[in-house]
């Protein structure tokens, strides 16, 4: 019924453990359509991270994923720090980079549902917001114009078309393009949520 699913909400697991399998599946199926994430969920996963081709050649060249290795592991900590872990030296140039995260309640032109968008700051500069979506395996995906995170093992390019850049980029939102342009113009996105 849900053997190939990577995430089941705790309430569905509780229902299942009580023998209410039909109700558990119904609850889990409805939850799989949710495009928001709670702070507890965000911080509970060991995420997989990679750059998209749109990030540029420099970032792709330093990304283990694009050199045939596993995606970088990442952890969103409850204190607002985002840590990335890598088994090789590819991230050494970025080892002193301070990365923080927070949920945002406004972006250019839209007021999202709580838990739908996450703002990451790299050395104090806010980068284009991450948008939360779901995979058909019921796991979570977060992406911006330049990066993608999955709450499950990230397969190699071509193995899962849903996670290939061409497919992911089709779901990018207009505000993300606006944020990308503003960031590339050297503007800090500090007050962008207020526009």
């Amino acid at each position: 019924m849900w053997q190939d699913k990577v995430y089941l909400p705790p309430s569905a697991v509780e229902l299942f453990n009580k023998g209410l399998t039909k109700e558990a599946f119904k609850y889990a199926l409805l939850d799989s359509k949710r495009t928001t994430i709670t702070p507890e969920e965000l911080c509970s996963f060991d995420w997989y991270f990679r750059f998209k081709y749109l990030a540029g050649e420099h970032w792709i060249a330093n990304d283990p994923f694009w050199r045939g290795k596993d995606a970088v592991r990442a952890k969103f900590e409850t204190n607002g720090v985002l840590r990335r872990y890598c088994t090789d030296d590819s991230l050494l140039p970025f080892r002193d980079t301070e990365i923080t995260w927070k949920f945002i309640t406004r972006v250019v032109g839209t007021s999202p549902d709580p838990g739908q968008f996450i703002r990451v700051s790299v050395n104090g500069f806010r980068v284009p917001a991450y948008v939360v979506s779901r995979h058909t395996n019921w796991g979570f995906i977060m992406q911006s114009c330049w990066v993608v995170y999955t709450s499950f093992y990230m397969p190699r390019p071509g193995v899962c078309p849903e996670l290939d850049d061409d497919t992911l980029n089709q779901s990018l939102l207009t505000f993300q393009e606006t944020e990308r342009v503003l960031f590339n113009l050297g503007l800090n996105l500090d007050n962008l949520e207020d526009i």
Side-chain angles (χ1 to χ4, degrees):
M1 183 160 44
W2 45 31
Q3 296 86 344
D4 63 337
K5 306 308 179 193
V6 298
Y7 178 73
L8 298 174
S11 298
V13 174
E14 281 181 39
L15 290 168
F16 182 82
N17 290 339
K18 291 178 181 176
L20 303 169
T21 54
K22 191 174 183 180
E23 291 84 356
F25 184 75
K26 181 179 175 182
Y27 185 89
L29 182 61
L30 286 172
D31 182 78
S32 74
K33 308 300 181 205
R34 175 173 54 98
T35 57
T36 60
I37 192 166
T38 67
E40 294 78 20
E41 289 168 330
L42 180 70
C43 295
S44 70
F45 295 116
D46 289 323
W47 292 85
Y48 290 83
F49 163 87
R50 71 167 175 84
F51 285 101
K52 292 180 171 182
Y53 277 113
L54 287 176
E57 191 175 315
H58 169 76
W59 300 105
I60 297 299
N62 285 295
D63 189 336
F65 183 82
W66 294 112
R67 295 194 329 249
K69 299 180 181 182
D70 283 343
V72 171
R73 301 296 293 272
K75 189 75 176 172
F76 290 79
E77 298 180 352
T78 57
N79 64 358
V81 172
L82 171 55
R83 299 208 187 280
R84 293 186 186 149
Y85 304 93
C86 190
T87 57
D88 67 14
D89 292 340
S90 60
L91 293 182
L92 282 179
F94 313 109
R95 70 174 169 255
D96 296 326
T97 302
E98 179 183 300
I99 307 172
T100 59
W101 69 271
K102 70 176 186 170
F103 285 101
I104 53 175
T105 56
R106 277 187 54 100
V107 293
V108 176
T110 186
S111 296
D113 292 328
Q116 189 176 9
F117 297 137
I118 295 163
R119 174 77 69 207
V120 169
S121 296
V122 179
N123 288 334
F125 285 92
R126 294 180 182 186
V127 296
Y130 296 173
V131 178
V132 176
S133 62
R134 298 296 283 274
H135 190 272
T136 55
N137 67 15
W138 297 359
F140 290 90
I141 300 169
M142 285 189 303
Q143 66 166 317
S144 74
C145 48
W146 295 322
V147 302
V148 62
Y149 289 80
T150 59
S151 66
F152 51 91
Y153 180 80
M154 190 177 292
R156 303 298 316 147
V159 172
C160 178
E162 285 177 85
L163 294 174
D164 288 344
D165 283 3
D166 289 341
T167 304
L168 288 169
N169 291 339
Q170 290 175 14
S171 65
L172 287 175
L173 303 175
T174 303
F175 85 86
Q176 289 176 298
E177 176 62 16
T178 301
E179 289 190 353
R180 183 190 68 78
V181 169
L182 293 173
F183 186 90
N184 284 338
L185 289 172
L187 299 174
N188 193 331
L189 305 179
D190 279 336
N191 299 313
L192 206 50
E193 290 94 25
D194 299 326
I195 294 176

